[in-house]
Amino acid sequence: MDANSLKDLLQGVKDGSLDIEDALKELKKLPFEDLGFAKVDNHRNIRNGYPEVIYCQGKTVEQVKGIVERLMEKNNNILATRAGKEVYEGIKEITEDAVYYEAARIVVVKRREAIVTDKIIAVVSAGTSDIPVAEEAAVTAEALGNNVIRIYDVGVAGIHRLFANMDKINSANVLIVVAGMEGALASVVGGMVDKPVIAVPTSIGYGANFGGLSALLTMLNSCASGVGVVNIDNGFGAGYLASMINRL
Amino acid sequence: MDANSLKDLLQGVKDGSLDIEDALKELKKLPFEDLGFAKVDNHRNIRNGYPEVIYCQGKTVEQVKGIVERLMEKNNNILATRAGKEVYEGIKEITEDAVYYEAARIVVVKRREAIVTDKIIAVVSAGTSDIPVAEEAAVTAEALGNNVIRIYDVGVAGIHRLFANMDKINSANVLIVVAGMEGALASVVGGMVDKPVIAVPTSIGYGANFGGLSALLTMLNSCASGVGVVNIDNGFGAGYLASMINRL
Amino acid sequence: MDANSLKDLLQGVKDGSLDIEDALKELKKLPFEDLGFAKVDNHRNIRNGYPEVIYCQGKTVEQVKGIVERLMEKNNNILATRAGKEVYEGIKEITEDAVYYEAARIVVVKRREAIVTDKIIAVVSAGTSDIPVAEEAAVTAEALGNNVIRIYDVGVAGIHRLFANMDKINSANVLIVVAGMEGALASVVGGMVDKPVIAVPTSIGYGANFGGLSALLTMLNSCASGVGVVNIDNGFGAGYLASMINRL
Amino acid sequence: MDANSLKDLLQGVKDGSLDIEDALKELKKLPFEDLGFAKVDNHRNIRNGYPEVIYCQGKTVEQVKGIVERLMEKNNNILATRAGKEVYEGIKEITEDAVYYEAARIVVVKRREAIVTDKIIAVVSAGTSDIPVAEEAAVTAEALGNNVIRIYDVGVAGIHRLFANMDKINSANVLIVVAGMEGALASVVGGMVDKPVIAVPTSIGYGANFGGLSALLTMLNSCASGVGVVNIDNGFGAGYLASMINRL
Amino acid sequence: MDANSLKDLLQGVKDGSLDIEDALKELKKLPFEDLGFAKVDNHRNIRNGYPEVIYCQGKTVEQVKGIVERLMEKNNNILATRAGKEVYEGIKEITEDAVYYEAARIVVVKRREAIVTDKIIAVVSAGTSDIPVAEEAAVTAEALGNNVIRIYDVGVAGIHRLFANMDKINSANVLIVVAGMEGALASVVGGMVDKPVIAVPTSIGYGANFGGLSALLTMLNSCASGVGVVNIDNGFGAGYLASMINRL
Amino acid sequence: MDANSLKDLLQGVKDGSLDIEDALKELKKLPFEDLGFAKVDNHRNIRNGYPEVIYCQGKTVEQVKGIVERLMEKNNNILATRAGKEVYEGIKEITEDAVYYEAARIVVVKRREAIVTDKIIAVVSAGTSDIPVAEEAAVTAEALGNNVIRIYDVGVAGIHRLFANMDKINSANVLIVVAGMEGALASVVGGMVDKPVIAVPTSIGYGANFGGLSALLTMLNSCASGVGVVNIDNGFGAGYLASMINRL
Amino acid sequence: MDANSLKDLLQGVKDGSLDIEDALKELKKLPFEDLGFAKVDNHRNIRNGYPEVIYCQGKTVEQVKGIVERLMEKNNNILATRAGKEVYEGIKEITEDAVYYEAARIVVVKRREAIVTDKIIAVVSAGTSDIPVAEEAAVTAEALGNNVIRIYDVGVAGIHRLFANMDKINSANVLIVVAGMEGALASVVGGMVDKPVIAVPTSIGYGANFGGLSALLTMLNSCASGVGVVNIDNGFGAGYLASMINRL
Amino acid sequence: MDANSLKDLLQGVKDGSLDIEDALKELKKLPFEDLGFAKVDNHRNIRNGYPEVIYCQGKTVEQVKGIVERLMEKNNNILATRAGKEVYEGIKEITEDAVYYEAARIVVVKRREAIVTDKIIAVVSAGTSDIPVAEEAAVTAEALGNNVIRIYDVGVAGIHRLFANMDKINSANVLIVVAGMEGALASVVGGMVDKPVIAVPTSIGYGANFGGLSALLTMLNSCASGVGVVNIDNGFGAGYLASMINRL
């Protein structure tokens, strides 16, 4: 209900075409009416400038296929995350356009070409085991139209490897840092650059890493400023947020 | 040690001016030498384009004054956070330029005019008790040269108050959402905008909020994409990161 | 043994068809009967006015069947929760009246028609993955004689979907809100209605959701008043409590 | 602004004493009014049918007085919780109608008589130290127009004391159970009645009660059905929810 | 209601002096009636063979005095735990029989001589800082009529001190082991004796002792059999349980 | 080294048969020498008056068989806990005396008749799912020569079932209470008897029971005195401690 | 590339057999070489004086083989930890020098003889189930050129077994203590020796050991000085640190 | 009583100036002497080769003075940790030899010159607020006869500051790394050196540092090998362990 409808309502009361009880009933709904900022789900694509995303974990292949079919009617690009090989094969049956990024566990269906920015997102990761999460972030950011460079296996236990990549690191507009175990890499990178850093703790590690809690706390308590943290293993979230920032 | 020095070293070995043992000793230091990305602490200002920051909590007034005096020799702008009134009065004795933002507990000493961007950072907060953290974020962002609007007391228990501010919210380039208790505001705002959201959990609440843990977990698990989280009550960190993003 | 049987017993004593010693013996068994591995609580049916409930998790099909057979002698309605398909098939062998609600993982054996109230319980859920818990709540409430409406997939990341259901939400006498991840939906619904809200955190999510802890804390710390919380994933408990309230 | 004032406004439009533009202006202010440090939610009164509530913890006496003054212009009833004696004295300066419930730490300002239901809410508590939380629940429920009975000091360590109160317990339409330490009382009461139970864990206890966590977990895991839990020490929340249920 | 009353009731139904509806009403209360195992609070003394206990923490001196006065009418012995000096002085005003055990923070009022067993309870403690809790246990056990020996400051960091006390340790019928920090003493003592060990974790320690959690977990996970654990710092509980065992 | 050996040593120094350096060396070992309280592992049986115990979890059948064979050379009774059927079958190959208690997952090899006390240990459990832990406690206590009665399925959700067993409960000298979910049964039983209660939390439950943490905290915080707690699911530990107490 | 190869390279530059550009190119690769999925850190060998380590958990046999092949070109010794039998067989296909330590789950490939110190590292462990972690520590220390003695199954439940090993314990220069359950062994050993103790908590135990947390907290809070702690189950880390200390 | 006094005693026995019974009596007191509230462990001095340590926190000035007086009779060096100024002043009244290290909160009483090793312990700390813990470690190590260098304020947020100290860091035989907030410094230093690193997490930080838990977990999960961890804020423990290692 916008200002005009409200005026009409009052006019109705004034001229007697609407009685007071009915007007009262109408007014009670006032705070909750749709305020015009959103209408239907497919409008989100326009609002966010992004393809539709399907989070596949906990969904059957049939459920994913159903969603893909519906979305394809709208000609959307599609990003299916946490997708096993069997999910990819299921989507492949629907469309030849499906491409599988195995390390990232992502299926991309590209129907329209995204406008690509040449500003760089750097994905920096600590250990070999962090690569699946790092790739989820990287492939997500690429699918959203960003220019991504990967700097992997540069954990702080051998910090010279990180410094050997200083030029690449300094070329980035936004950085995603992916690290498990103690997650110290985010603080070190955050102290080296004057660009926003999105930190992704991973559940990699053993003993008292408590499923990623150690890296999560490390990153939240980072002594370097300019670091924002996403959920444990949430490579997609990091790639999405980095893209949002990179495309401002 | 850069590539040229390395060449010089090898040349020295070749022409006999440097013996092999000395060269070996020099090479062993190789990975840890200063790689030219930073020299002294005061250079950080240039690197980051930002004033110097003093975190006052746990420091005596005398200690803060000592740091302020040293920084003023370099003619830096200064931001002193978590500063009580007595800190402000101490700094005031040194310089007339000190301004105190009481709600934010921040002292700003402005020596040079910052270049202000007209892109907007919106600071959105849930309850009255969250205002100190929200102000810390807002004043930080302003001191770093941003155009800040405040949208306070719009918690989800009365969500119409949030919607009444839709125009302001949509005008922002970056959003900071400050909330304690269950921290649900970050998810709601994150679902409404297509701009990056920096979420700040506060320790406000009682019972099972466990010092801000409830709001922290809520924000990390946000079902809306595009949300990065900083530490509990870390208004400064949010303002700093938002500014970094806003000025890209 | 329900109120009627008890009356019959007393009538028997009165008219001399049952002697006092035998009646006494019968009454002493009243509160429980030994079943070897479990004592079936027949008294509770009278006391609570509800069918008997079997929580199947951790019980073998044979154990469940044993309990069902015993209960059927008393002509009770039966609700078997957390029941896999093999449990349903086992019960089906005993009685044709068994109906399986697959999404809810519930078997209902209806022997007597329940008196149905036309006051509405609305089950509101956030995401697709929350549906099994939501259905457990909904089917439980229906089996207890309530009129249930379902409002699914209205999580706060796209809050307009929730508002599009305002009329349905306002028609309810009691609301059950089921949400995982950050669980913010309970606060938003709690702020919109003046009816009791039963909040059910689910274990859905990943990373730092810690098996439902994040949603649980969110709901306990809700800034909206009028919200009561049940255990993680406890759809049955929510449906039971909502029914109890709805039938007052 | 309550339903009556709204009707008056519409009547004014109808009979011409208020022109449409002024009515519109008035209506736009409806959902909230700016108070500088807090927005008072006048709409909620209509929506929820309840007096305005001020949560005093963390607010200065002056801030509370400001809110009270504003609310009294609207002729609302007021409930100020977590109010120390000095808050009461501050409110007393504004209105003679303020009454202080010391054990409950609540100030009530009654301007209009609430319609009282004769259905009973029973507040049951375990130990002497739980009484402040129990009283917060009881006084809240009374202020919201309910008939409240108190059954205190009936913890499970001497369970015969609880059974001596069976008649009172069975007379209630809704029960609030308040317990600290191990919180077992909620399960025992929940197993005895067929009415909804609102369980309030308190932070009372020592050692491994971890600030109320032990009682909270006990209540969430209750083996009795029909129990909903609110936040630790949240007597107000329990009284509010119980009233909502009792007045359905 | 016992078997006889039940027979009377049925007799009443049979001979018509009680109509069926009234009998039914009476029978519905059946499971909850007082079953004769307890009548009033002061009977607990007889049941348990123990003095009345007042837990003073969180009570005012006036409240404690009120309880003491009431109990003295029954001529009970009294044990007031967690009692500061001001509590002792308050009780002293009522009775000259009050004795203060300062290290244990206990006031004992002895009105009747307890029958003392000569079987020994040994209270073993690790460090100087654990003495208040150890004394609470020791004085409690003495007040309950036990013969107590104290073996203090024998923590495992200097395990020869423990062994120098082997004769004393072996003379005990029941042992109470009090330890903070890592709490290892309980396991070592448990492995040395074939008598029941009551382990009391204390909150003594720093850093990652987390308020006694480290000692609590140590004791629960003891690799020695025959160890039962009470709450953190709960010297009274340990003394009470040890006495119960010692007097079997 | 005992007092006599020490005297001999000094005598040797005095008469010159031992030089000072050798005496010094001998004295330095002093605090750590075997003090005569234990010699070899098989002596523990004598010390404790109990059979040897093998904890089978994490051991292969072959490993268990090896230990059994070694112990049988000494003619000991043997108690193998957490033993699957395949462990039983392995032991059966060695000795016909092996008896398997399936619900308790215990194998008993009885070579000598234990002296049985007629004092009673009552094992009380809350739900059907708690029976394996309850049986582990009961069989352990029986194997250690105690007279055990079982009172199962008497959880507090239907507290009349507990009261129907008052006579049995009151006949016990020591009680073991086994309960999962919220674990309230320990407090209720502890408040009803004046005998020591050993409480065993189980990991039974779902949602926020956190693997038995909820029941563990409940039992540690029990408002009833006289309750000692063992580790989660540790039926053996409870049976062992109860036996130790029962046989004092 | 070790110190000798580096010297060879410089010699080549000196005598002209290697030109400067090629040497430079070679040196730039020095700190790391790209292996596709992991960068092998050859520089660390020189820096730390130790063989290369491969942490196999989470890597496929093929990945491990790839790393081994690469490392063998450099003639390094190799230590592959957390290696299942199939990993050993994979490495065996590459080199006959591979030796498998099954209990330790370690594969050692020895290409050059390490210089062995005769100073002793003692590995002390509590229970049979702790042996895998203890062996990981022992084999690691041996592979790093240390003289290791093992003292197993000396947990504090039978402390005389520990004391029977006093001579061995006192012969050690560094001690590694491995214990699960309550982890008390580290404190007891730490109190007996004046040598550094490296404590390794294991995840062995049940119930409230919470995956090794109980032993971890015990060791961190040890009342004995001179104890450093590594991660839960981290036998390799303990062996590595002990070796570092032993070879100082 | 040190090795020399023991020799004197035996000499006395040998030459007849001390009879055997008196010597025996003296020897029996050897391991500990009763001081009423604490047993001072004189044997430890001989065993560990270190001065006596008094942990002052939780002790009154009078208690500390009593212990100091007793120890001075034995002519020991004394180290009093966590000592406020008033403790220092109390000790000063007893002996002029007391020296106060304010930043470290340590009092040292030096009676005999310690033999100082010239091998270096480096104490490296992250932030200004970590200095008290770092100084506790440094002063402890110095009092135990080590050569200590301090490298402060080199946190990873400005990692060039750390590298500027590479020569100092490489000169150390043992390193102590003290860091709060995210504690990443330990991993970075551990990756740079081939010497043992003792890591001390501090409770410095705010929000989700949870009293030092974040730094503790970081250090336990360090991806660099060769790092041992002590308790939160335990500077003394780190200095003691480092000294033990440095003096091997």
Side-chain angles (χ1 to χ4, degrees), chain A residues 81-232:
Chain A
T81 67
R82 302 283 162 106
K85 199 145 203 177
E86 71 290 357
V87 169
Y88 163 62
E89 277 152 13
I91 298 178
K92 194 79 185 178
E93 291 168 20
I94 303 173
T95 168
E96 278 300 304
D97 296 345
V99 179
Y100 190 45
Y101 297 84
E102 188 163 6
R105 292 162 301 168
I106 286 180
V107 180
V108 175
V109 180
K110 195 186 280 180
R111 308 295 294 273
R112 296 180 298 184
E113 208 54 46
I115 299 157
V116 177
T117 171
D118 56 3
K119 286 189 288 177
I120 292 170
I121 294 174
V123 179
V124 185
S125 82
T128 307
S129 316
D130 299 319
I131 289 179
V133 178
E135 276 299 302
E136 190 179 276
V139 172
T140 297
E142 285 172 340
L144 297 176
N146 297 279
N147 191 350
V148 174
I149 56 174
R150 289 154 169 87
I151 308 169
Y152 288 175
D153 207 31
V154 293
V156 300
I159 209 162
H160 55 285
R161 294 176 295 181
L162 181 63
F163 295 151
N165 286 283
M166 276 308 296
D167 285 348
K168 279 186 180 176
I169 287 170
N170 281 331
S171 73
N173 190 47
V174 184
L175 294 103
I176 295 171
V177 178
V178 179
M181 300 185 84
E182 94 284 57
L185 187 61
S187 293
V188 174
V189 172
M192 280 161 53
V193 300
D194 60 341
K195 294 288 162 50
V197 171
I198 310 305
V200 193
T202 75
S203 56
I204 295 305
Y206 52 111
N209 83 320
F210 296 126
L213 181 65
S214 60
L216 172 62
L217 291 182
T218 298
M219 289 168 171
L220 285 168
N221 287 285
S222 175
C223 56
S225 296
V227 179
V229 184
V230 298
N231 204 348
I232 297 167

Side-chain angles (χ1 to χ4, degrees), chain B residues 20-52:
Chain B
I20 285 178
E21 284 308 314
D22 286 348
L24 204 58
K25 221 162 128 192
E26 206 62 19
L27 282 172
K28 276 188 170 169
K29 290 195 310 189
L30 195 70
F32 306 119
E33 279 289 328
D34 186 326
L35 292 173
F37 58 86
K39 287 295 179 202
V40 290
D41 242 7
N42 283 297
H43 277 206
R44 213 169 96 189
N45 199 351
I46 302 168
R47 231 167 58 245
N48 287 344
Y50 279 133
E52 290 291 333

Side-chain angles (χ1 to χ4, degrees), chain D residues 156-157 159 163 181-182 184 187-188 191-192 206 208-210 213-214 217-218 220-224, chain F residues 156-157 159 163 181-182 184 187-188 191-192 206 208-210 213-214 217-218 220-224:
Chain D
V156 299
I159 208 161
F163 295 149
M181 302 185 83
E182 93 284 58
S187 292
V188 174
M192 281 161 53
Y206 51 110
N209 83 322
F210 297 125
L213 182 65
S214 59
L217 291 182
T218 297
L220 285 168
N221 287 285
S222 176
C223 55
Chain F
V156 301
I159 210 162
F163 295 150
M181 299 186 84
E182 93 285 58
S187 293
V188 174
M192 280 161 54
Y206 52 108
N209 83 322
F210 297 125
L213 182 65
S214 61
L217 292 182
T218 298
L220 285 168
N221 288 286
S222 174
C223 56

Side-chain angles (χ1 to χ4, degrees), chain D residues 103 124-135 151-156 161 178-181 185 202 204-205, chain E residues 41 53-60 62-64 67 70, chain F residues 223:
Chain D
V124 184
S125 81
T128 308
S129 317
D130 299 319
I131 289 179
V133 177
E135 276 299 302
I151 308 169
Y152 288 175
D153 208 26
V154 292
V156 299
R161 292 176 296 181
V178 179
M181 302 185 83
L185 187 60
T202 76
I204 295 304
Chain E
D41 240 8
V53 179
I54 309 168
Y55 179 70
C56 299
Q57 203 160 291
K59 297 202 178 72
T60 66
E62 284 318 299
Q63 286 176 316
V64 173
I67 302 172
R70 190 158 48 75
Chain F
C223 56

Side-chain angles (χ1 to χ4, degrees), chain C residues 53-57 79-83 105-107 136 140 236:
Chain C
V53 178
I54 308 169
Y55 179 70
C56 299
Q57 201 160 293
L79 193 72
T81 65
R82 303 280 163 109
R105 291 161 303 166
I106 286 180
V107 180
E136 190 180 276
T140 296
F236 166 73

Side-chain angles (χ1 to χ4, degrees), chain F residues 59-201:
Chain F
K59 296 200 179 73
T60 66
V61 174
E62 285 317 298
Q63 285 176 319
V64 173
K65 284 171 71 175
I67 302 173
V68 168
E69 273 169 348
R70 190 159 47 73
L71 292 173
M72 287 189 61
E73 292 168 20
K74 315 275 175 184
N75 217 35
N76 286 316
N77 290 341
I78 297 169
L79 194 71
T81 65
R82 302 281 162 109
K85 200 145 203 178
E86 71 292 355
V87 169
Y88 163 63
E89 277 151 15
I91 298 177
K92 194 78 184 179
E93 291 168 21
I94 302 173
T95 169
E96 279 300 305
D97 296 345
V99 179
Y100 190 45
Y101 297 85
E102 190 164 3
R105 291 162 301 167
I106 286 180
V107 180
V108 175
V109 181
K110 194 186 280 180
R111 307 294 296 270
R112 296 179 299 184
E113 207 55 46
I115 301 156
V116 177
T117 173
D118 57 3
K119 288 189 287 181
I120 291 170
I121 293 173
V123 180
V124 185
S125 81
T128 308
S129 316
D130 299 318
I131 289 180
V133 177
E135 275 299 301
E136 189 180 276
V139 172
T140 296
E142 285 171 341
L144 297 175
N146 297 280
N147 192 350
V148 174
I149 56 173
R150 290 155 170 85
I151 308 168
Y152 289 176
D153 207 29
V154 293
V156 301
I159 210 162
H160 55 286
R161 294 175 294 179
L162 181 63
F163 295 150
N165 286 284
M166 274 310 294
D167 286 347
K168 279 186 180 177
I169 286 171
N170 281 331
S171 73
N173 190 46
V174 185
L175 295 103
I176 295 170
V177 177
V178 180
M181 299 186 84
E182 93 285 58
L185 187 61
S187 293
V188 174
V189 171
M192 280 161 54
V193 299
D194 60 341
K195 294 290 164 48
V197 171
I198 311 303
V200 193

Side-chain angles (χ1 to χ4, degrees), chain E residues 4 12 17 25 45 55 86 91 103 115 121 123 132 140 145 149 191 212 239:
Chain E
N4 283 339
S17 65
K25 220 163 127 191
N45 199 353
Y55 179 70
E86 71 291 355
I91 299 178
I115 301 156
I121 293 173
V123 181
T140 296
I149 56 173

